[in-house]
Structures are given as C-alpha cells and as structure tokens.
C-alpha cells in the first residue's frame, strides 16, 4: 500500500485543476459576472442574475439557483467549457467523498435537461465512486480499517452472507435511501468487493436517486426547499426499489442451495 500522503498529493492536484478551470474560462465574461463587475442580462429564465456570485460549490437552494443562472448564461456561447467544468466538479466531489452531490445532480437537470443529464450523472457517479475506491485501496486501506472497525465488521458479515448474490446486495444498499454512499466507496476495497461489480452497482443503483434530483433541476425555479424533494413518499419509493433488488438475490441463493443439496445426495 502506498503512503497516505499520496492521497493528499492527488487531492492537491485535483484541487489545483478545478481552481484553474473555474478561474480561467475561454473569455472573461464568466469571471466578470461572478465577481459582480458585469451583468449582461437582468434575468435568466425568470431568475435575476445576482450582483455577486462566487464560483463555488452550492450549499443551499439560493446559491444553487444563482450558480445555475450564471452557467446557463455562459452555456449559450461556451457549452463545452460548462460541460467540462461540471464534469470536473462532479468527479472531484465523488472522488474525495465530499457531501452535497444532490446540488450538482439538480444543477445538471437545470443545465443539460433530462435526457443528457441522466446518463451523464449516472456515469460520473460511477466513475467518481470508482476513483474513491481506488484511492482507498491504494492509500487508505489500513486507515479505513482502523477508523471504522465496527462498521467494517458488520458490512463484512453482510457481504459474506450474500456472497452468492453479491451484485444484488450491492444494488440494494445503493438504492436504500439511508445508506452512506461515501462510506461504501471507502470500505468496498477493504471488503474485497470486485471493482467491476462495484462500478456497475453504483451506475445502476443510484439511477433512481439521480433521476429524482435531475427532474427537480428541470423545474429549479419552482422549487422552494431542498427538503421537499425527498419527502416521505419519495423515500418510500426508493426503499421499495431497494427491497425489490434483494428478491433476485434471495431466489438465486435459494436455488443454489437446493442444487448443492442435490449434488451432495
């Protein structure tokens, strides 16, 4: 295993790239708008452009709406740059297990629409989570074990119990609304989860969650609170989808045990 400071080097390089990209657009329009020096249009899709908006990760609905307005304005002339900036920011968050992916999912819907956003966000989620997996495997393997011994032990037992249908179990934990995805990304290499199964489980398992966020982004101007997105009914639907993912695994496990009994007899 490589020394832990190697993860710090990767983080520093990624941070420098994202900072350079966000402060060096193709021309000065975005920087001027972000600093409040210019304001080309009084509104963007009915949303007033703010006098001053920092180019940073949004942490609330107001910041998200302001950032979406700026990027939508800039997207008309520099769509490729906006796409690159969004992809870089999304991978940065996922790779280093930084909370707040819900805001970027909603932003994707506001910027790119439903049909581009859904495959884009699902793919970025899977790639970013896999980067996190690889960083944990190469730099933090023993540290994850030391920091989360009880959680690792519980998950290890569950994975052992579902080894015959591991992929369906991984889908279940991704779909279940209360699962801490950041911890799964860090712990999976410690639990010997194959990287391909890990990638596919994130790609498919987070699809319903991503879809809900993207649909919200498509009507961003109508949203009053982030909490309203994940109401009781939405969480129940995600929970039901998670349980449904367990059923194929239970069936596979049941019939595999029957076949083993037949062979032994």
């Amino acid at each position: 295993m490589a020394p832990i400071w190697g993860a710090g080097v990767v983080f520093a390089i990624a941070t420098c790239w994202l900072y350079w990209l966000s402060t060096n657009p193709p021309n000065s329009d975005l920087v001027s708008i972000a600093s409040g020096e210019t304001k080309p249009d009084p509104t963007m899709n009915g949303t007033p452009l703010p006098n001053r908006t920092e180019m940073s990760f949004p942490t609330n609905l107001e910041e998200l709406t302001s950032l979406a307005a700026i990027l939508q304005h800039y997207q008309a002339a520099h769509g490729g740059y906006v796409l690159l900036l969004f992809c870089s920011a999304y991978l940065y968050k996922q790779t280093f297990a930084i909370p707040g992916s819900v805001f970027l999912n909603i932003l994707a819907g506001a910027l790119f629409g439903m049909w581009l956003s859904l495959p884009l966000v699902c793919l970025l989620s899977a790639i970013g989570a896999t980067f996190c997996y690889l960083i944990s495997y190469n730099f933090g393997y023993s540290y994850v074990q030391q920091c989360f011994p009880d959680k690792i032990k519980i998950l290890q037992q569950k994975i052992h119990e579902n080894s015959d249908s591991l992929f369906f179990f991984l889908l279940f934990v991704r779909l279940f609304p209360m699962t801490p995805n950041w911890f799964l990304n860090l712990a999976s290499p410690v639990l010997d989860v194959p990287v391909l199964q890990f990638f596919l489980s994130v790609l498919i398992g987070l699809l319903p969650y991503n879809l809900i966020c993207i649909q919200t982004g498509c009507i961003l101007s109508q949203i009053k609170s982030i909490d309203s997105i994940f109401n009781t009914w939405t969480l129940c639907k995600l929970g039901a989808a998670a349980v449904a993912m367990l059923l194929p695994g239970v069936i596979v496990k049941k019939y595999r045990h029957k076949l083993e009994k037949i062979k032994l007899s």
Side-chain angles (χ1 to χ4, degrees):
M1 185 184 71
I4 189 64
W5 55 262
V9 172
V10 175
F11 178 77
I13 293 172
T15 302
C16 290
W17 161 251
L18 189 58
Y19 177 79
W20 180 87
L21 188 63
S22 63
T23 55
N24 290 274
N27 61 39
S28 60
D29 289 350
L30 184 59
V31 175
S32 298
I33 297 170
S35 63
E37 295 172 10
T38 62
K39 191 168 60 172
D41 292 319
T43 63
M44 174 54 61
N45 294 335
T47 303
L49 286 175
N51 290 327
R52 180 175 178 81
T53 302
E54 299 295 340
M55 289 297 295
S56 59
F57 289 114
T59 57
N60 55 54
L61 186 59
E62 183 180 357
E63 293 177 1
L64 177 62
T65 304
S66 298
L67 181 60
I70 288 175
L71 292 178
Q72 283 170 341
H73 173 84
Y74 201 75
Q75 191 177 24
H78 302 286
Y81 168 78
V82 172
L83 179 62
L84 177 61
L85 179 63
F86 176 83
C87 292
S88 298
Y90 202 103
L91 290 175
Y92 182 84
K93 261 187 174 291
Q94 291 284 55
T95 299
F96 301 109
I98 301 172
S101 63
V102 60
F103 293 107
L104 291 186
N105 289 348
I106 296 172
L107 181 61
L111 293 176
F112 309 118
M114 173 66 71
W115 300 113
L116 175 58
S117 294
L118 187 57
L120 176 66
V121 165
C122 288
L123 187 60
L124 289 175
S125 296
I127 294 173
T130 304
F131 285 165
C132 185
Y133 175 109
L134 294 174
I135 287 176
S136 177
Y137 178 80
N138 288 288
F139 302 110
Y141 195 97
S142 60
Y143 294 94
V144 173
Q145 290 178 310
Q146 293 172 13
C147 293
F148 308 101
D150 296 333
K151 290 183 178 180
I152 292 291
K153 186 176 180 180
I154 293 171
L155 263 179
Q156 208 160 30
Q157 182 180 351
K158 292 295 181 183
I159 286 178
H160 178 73
E161 292 172 357
N162 294 276
S163 58
D164 292 340
S165 53
L166 179 59
F167 182 67
F168 295 110
F169 175 74
L170 294 175
L171 284 181
F172 165 77
V173 294
R174 290 293 177 180
L175 281 164
F176 193 71
M178 298 299 130
T179 300
N181 284 293
W182 65 270
F183 178 70
L184 287 176
N185 297 344
L186 291 172
S188 289
V190 178
L191 300 170
D192 295 324
V193 174
V195 68
L196 180 59
Q197 289 195 35
F198 174 86
F199 176 87
L200 293 175
S201 69
V202 178
L203 182 70
I204 300 170
L206 290 183
L207 193 151
Y209 168 82
N210 291 335
L211 176 61
I212 291 169
C213 296
I214 289 167
Q215 287 176 327
T216 302
C218 293
I219 54 170
L220 180 58
S221 61
Q222 303 174 30
I223 303 302
K224 303 301 180 185
S225 169
I226 293 294
D227 294 334
S228 65
I229 302 170
F230 296 100
N231 51 37
T232 303
W233 175 237
T234 301
L235 294 177
C236 287
K237 287 191 291 184
L238 288 174
V243 172
M245 284 298 102
L246 276 183
L247 294 179
V250 172
I251 294 171
V252 168
K253 194 173 182 179
K254 178 181 178 181
Y255 281 96
R256 180 168 292 183
H257 286 167
K258 284 187 176 181
L259 287 172
E260 288 176 354
K261 288 180 181 179
I262 291 172
K263 288 179 181 180
L264 290 173
S265 61

